[in-house]
Amino acid sequence: MGRSEDDWIRAIAGRFPAGPRTQVGIGHDAAVVELDGRQVVLKTDVVIDGVDFRLAECGPGAAARKALAVNVSDLAAMAALPRACVVGAVLPRGVEFDLFDALAKGFADAAAELSCDVVGGDTSVADGPLVLAVAAVGEPGPYGVYTRAGGVPGDAVSVTGALGGSILGRHLTFVPRVREGQVLAARGIPHAMMDLSDGLSTDLRRLCAASGCGADVVAEWVPIHPDAHRAPTPGTPLERALNDGEDFELLVAHAPLSPGAVSELAREGVTLHRVGTLTKAPAGVRLVERGAARDLPPQGYDHLRKP
Amino acid sequence: MGRSEDDWIRAIAGRFPAGPRTQVGIGHDAAVVELDGRQVVLKTDVVIDGVDFRLAECGPGAAARKALAVNVSDLAAMAALPRACVVGAVLPRGVEFDLFDALAKGFADAAAELSCDVVGGDTSVADGPLVLAVAAVGEPGPYGVYTRAGGVPGDAVSVTGALGGSILGRHLTFVPRVREGQVLAARGIPHAMMDLSDGLSTDLRRLCAASGCGADVVAEWVPIHPDAHRAPTPGTPLERALNDGEDFELLVAHAPLSPGAVSELAREGVTLHRVGTLTKAPAGVRLVERGAARDLPPQGYDHLRKP
């Protein structure tokens, strides 16, 4: 049995066949379910003290914001609009009301900022770290929903911002790319789309698997965030941009765009950085550096691998 | 600051004002949100190893079933129909694939049994107990949704089954009262409805608070489950029926029914046991035993009180 998170998910996915109401199921950023004749986009993402944030360092407000924002980011990646959420909180035993109230304030502030009302929740206490399990529902935007599938060989692969070093703070303060998702969808640009939560080297492999493609990433094209030059994560700045994760930028496969089209998007506030090209599947996911191609292994965040 | 779960929830609820899409928000069994012009019922409930089940005793299949069934029970209590869910799982560090796969099988089996497709999820690993955070969406049934509000003084208070001693097994094997909720709604019977998750003494107080009523529970009327006579929980069988919790029967406030109407419901497979009467609010929630009324304190499950 493989030991990566994706191996495990792949191994169980067959247990959950899509029902008649399931338009998009397991294996995408969010699910799309038909309820009463309409598409509802549904997502859950769980964050944990000591894994996804350090409560003692960032405080409850930032933890709550991240718990909601990671879910909104997944809705954004489907070009869906966040609408409402419920919050499951597992509090460490002995928790004081002040922490609970500060978490509530953090969720209320984040809900207002991210246009995703908190409409319910469940609170438990256990002998473990703080767990915040948010589930969010959204509506498809006016231009429909997008998934990780749909990319074709020859597509450009682009990201909406610079990558790497998010641990220095952006993993908490990122703004989910809801607006960018809508702008791209309004122009019919994405063939496939997802958010970069676990690092380009890991997430691009997921988009490729869903689209039945390979991909070449061109090292020189990858936009490296200034934070990637000073982050404490392993590797070179380029490796950090490829592997750090939690950039929460959109990863988009699309027909190559003219410089004019890219400029027009930029005028609408969406910067599309091309990082590579989709290829035929057998080529796999590769990094092309100074003209030489080599395998780009998924070295982003994996819950089952990191100690 | 009060130390009960309800005190805490009350104290933060004001932070989350209902948005324009929120038709039912915090303080009911589930939320109702208007998405694209239609009502969507949304719920999350979190279960934890060592709190809500003992994994080593019950096994992963029963744990997964409970994780889903507690959510479905809340949808049932609104007279909603479960449709789809997402599962957030926090696995204990060092978890083996076999456990993960058995949980997946348990969720798949429960999804089929309970008509609630698993359409997505999120898996993490942390230094703590197994946490299963399910969020479910449902459609209103054809007869609309019901909440904890709407009971009026003079209403009968009834439950759909015998109470107490669920720890002997029913807390894992209960069948969510989806069908019963529909039968009651089809006849327009409920004024207010909720499920009994934390014990009649605690949950009735919640229904009363939402309905702006008090209630008298008549001790001799409370249907005591045979399990309540042999459960290891504190108190007499009556006290276990009032306080044990996890019965997952429906608690219904409704206009008093004729014996004929009760028989007719029974022929449709819904047994309504009357346990008391709603009163005017100042009377509070009382237990009437041999004609003498005394306060019925909320002694059901409270995450913040139990060690």
Side-chain angles (χ1 to χ4, degrees), chain B residues 100-116:
Chain B
F100 183 65
D101 190 47
L103 285 167
K105 181 175 187 314
F107 275 111
D109 291 347
E113 178 201 342
L114 302 172
S115 300
C116 192

Side-chain angles (χ1 to χ4, degrees), chain A residues 6 15 27 41 58-59 74 92 94 120 129 138 140 152 199 216 220 232 247 251-252 278 304:
Chain A
D6 283 2
R15 293 199 178 277
V41 186
C58 73
D74 281 309
V152 293
D216 281 351
E220 292 78 8
D247 303 299
L251 174 65
V252 192
L278 290 189
L304 295 173

Side-chain angles (χ1 to χ4, degrees), chain B residues 29 73 77 158-163 170 174-177 180 193-197 203 225 246-252 271 273:
Chain B
D29 283 34
S73 180
S158 299
V159 297
T160 52
L163 309 180
R170 280 157 40 241
F174 71 93
V175 177
R177 298 310 190 193
E180 288 77 358
M193 191 155 66
M194 67 183 297
D195 77 336
L196 284 171
S197 52
D203 288 326
H225 195 280
E246 304 220 302
D247 304 298
F248 297 107
E249 297 292 349
L250 298 180
L251 174 65
V252 192
T271 317
H273 304 266

